[in-house]
Amino acid sequence: MRGVVFTGDRGVELRSFPDPEPGPGEVVVRIRASGMCGSDLHTYRAPAAAESGALVVQGHEPCGEIHAVGPGVPVEMAKIGDRVMIHHYWGCGTCPDCRTGWPQMCSVIEPRVPTLNEHGGHAEFIKVPALQTIPLPPSLSFKAGAAIGCGTGTAWGGIERLGNVSGRTLVVFGQGPVGASATMIAAALGARVIAVDVVRRRLDAAEKFDADTVLDATAGDVVEAVRELTGGRGAELAIETSGVTPVAKQALDVLAPWGKACFIGIGAYVSFNTKETLRRQLTILTSWTLSTVQQIRCAEFVVSHGLPVDEVFSHTWSLDDAVAAYEWFDQQRDGKGVFVP
Ligand SMILES: [Zn+2]
Ligand SMILES: [Zn+2]
């Protein structure tokens, strides 16, 4: 099979690999959609020498159909032709973290992660433990399943951390794939969403995804604008997806007393003065991707609310276009890309 690898310093190559064979407890999934994720760019931009994962196939948002089943996998769990999403981490399988659906936090073995130490989904096939496959609801496309596996699922995880968003004002900083998904999900849950970005096309998409108000951060002071929109009090809730330090600070500054902020974007540094912050009784949360259980719940919610998750993808690429696809994605001016092998 062919697979996309990163060679460092923004190098991308399509290389040949042996077709995977499933071992005991494993399945091989034929990829029908493999999402591009903002976190790919950390590896893509890394210097060649420092990139230890350069030779594994990239892509950690795979979705497809079971192509081959290894020994010992019960037919109820996986059979050829099943449409599946993939929870893209696996651990020991038996520790408390793994058993509660958080194999990425496994404390017994180093978690296995496509793109880091296992081959990922930007290929024709991927081999994974059968336990890490999750049925894709019949009404959802493979693209939707790919999005729920990471970008949209990460938004879901952050919103679950915030708790009840219904009837509350939520500022979503960044309208990339995760932020756009957060806007869509929170609006469907009944939140009044204020969507913030610096790219007009992304703000237009946020409007389509039912944001109550969109704010162009290049056009004025976001913190002031949120105060005006909330009668001077501030927002009850904020989600930060950009990973940019000054933006992360705004996520705290927009909050009303008793407000909660959830940090999802990677790379920002957040500092706060405890005296000022505790007098506002703020809650500061982080959220890292999602559990297997949350992936199932997120998919059910997308189905029951008919959310247009596919529309988070603005571009579809073939594996042959991988170089151009990542050059485009590196600009971060649009939505999300997906490979359809
Ligand atoms: Zn991701
Ligand atoms: Zn474990």
Side-chain angles (χ1 to χ4, degrees):
M1 68 170 190
R2 298 174 312 151
V4 175
V5 298
F6 292 158
T7 55
D9 295 312
R10 293 179 162 84
V12 174
E13 288 179 17
L14 194 54
R15 291 194 180 168
S16 289
F17 295 88
D19 285 351
E21 301 273 346
E26 295 176 334
V27 295
V28 169
V29 175
R30 179 186 288 277
I31 302 294
R32 296 297 187 196
S34 182
M36 299 168 77
C37 177
S39 66
D40 298 353
L41 295 174
H42 299 287
T43 322
Y44 173 72
R45 294 167 181 164
E51 188 36 68
S52 58
L55 293 179
V56 295
V57 174
Q58 293 299 306
H60 61 256
E61 298 185 359
C63 189
E65 290 163 301
I66 304 270
H67 172 74
V69 180
V73 177
V75 68
E76 300 78 20
M77 185 180 284
K79 56 185 188 306
I80 291 171
D82 283 355
R83 300 165 83 248
V84 289
M85 299 185 287
I86 292 168
H87 188 259
H88 67 274
Y89 309 92
W90 48 100
C92 72
T94 55
C95 74
D97 299 299
C98 285
R99 281 176 181 261
T100 51
W102 293 97
Q104 61 266 55
M105 297 172 71
C106 178
S107 50
V108 175
I109 66 163
E110 187 192 352
R112 310 303 297 172
V113 187
T115 72
L116 291 183
N117 48 24
E118 296 284 344
H119 287 310
H122 293 350
E124 276 121 7
F125 301 102
I126 187 172
K127 183 178 73 170
V128 297
L131 265 175
Q132 296 316 111
T133 62
I134 294 174
L136 178 67
S139 64
L140 292 187
S141 69
F142 291 115
K143 286 182 185 177
I148 291 166
C150 183
T152 299
T154 293
W156 178 267
I159 289 169
E160 280 205 0
R161 291 280 274 169
L162 284 175
N164 181 17
V165 302
S166 175
R168 298 183 174 165
T169 300
L170 166 68
V171 186
V172 180
F173 288 91
Q175 294 297 310
V178 176
S181 298
T183 293
M184 187 188 294
I185 292 166
L189 284 165
R192 174 201 184 195
V193 177
I194 300 174
V196 184
D197 205 284
V198 295
V199 179
R200 191 65 243 173
R201 266 176 293 183
R202 287 181 164 190
L203 292 171
D204 292 343
E207 266 178 343
K208 215 172 56 181
F209 298 150
D210 288 337
D212 179 85
T213 310
V214 299
L215 291 179
D216 181 345
T218 63
D221 184 332
V222 169
V223 177
E224 271 308 305
V226 171
R227 295 223 169 271
E228 273 173 36
L229 288 164
T230 53
R233 190 161 170 85
E236 287 119 316
L237 305 167
I239 285 183
E240 204 301 292
T241 71
S242 75
V244 176
T245 294
V247 181
K249 183 171 185 319
Q250 290 178 344
L252 293 180
D253 291 346
V254 295
L255 292 177
W258 300 101
K260 286 188 197 177
C262 183
F263 292 92
I264 297 177
I266 295 168
Y269 284 83
V270 183
S271 63
F272 54 90
N273 177 301
T274 49
K275 185 178 169 188
E276 285 170 14
T277 306
L278 69 84
R279 288 184 178 189
R280 293 163 64 209
Q281 305 277 20
L282 301 186
T283 301
I284 297 170
L285 299 162
T286 59
S287 187
W288 180 34
T289 63
L290 77 170
S291 68
T292 51
V293 179
Q294 287 179 318
Q295 189 163 342
I296 294 166
R297 276 205 296 265
C298 179
E300 286 171 351
F301 184 83
V302 168
V303 170
S304 63
H305 288 72
L307 297 187
V309 167
D310 298 48
E311 292 176 28
V312 172
F313 294 103
S314 58
H315 288 62
T316 300
W317 304 90
S318 77
L319 292 177
D320 296 303
D321 299 326
V323 172
Y326 274 98
E327 281 175 0
W328 161 79
F329 197 49
D330 193 28
Q331 305 301 313
Q332 286 291 289
R333 306 294 295 174
D334 258 302
K336 192 174 173 75
V338 60
F339 288 101
V340 176

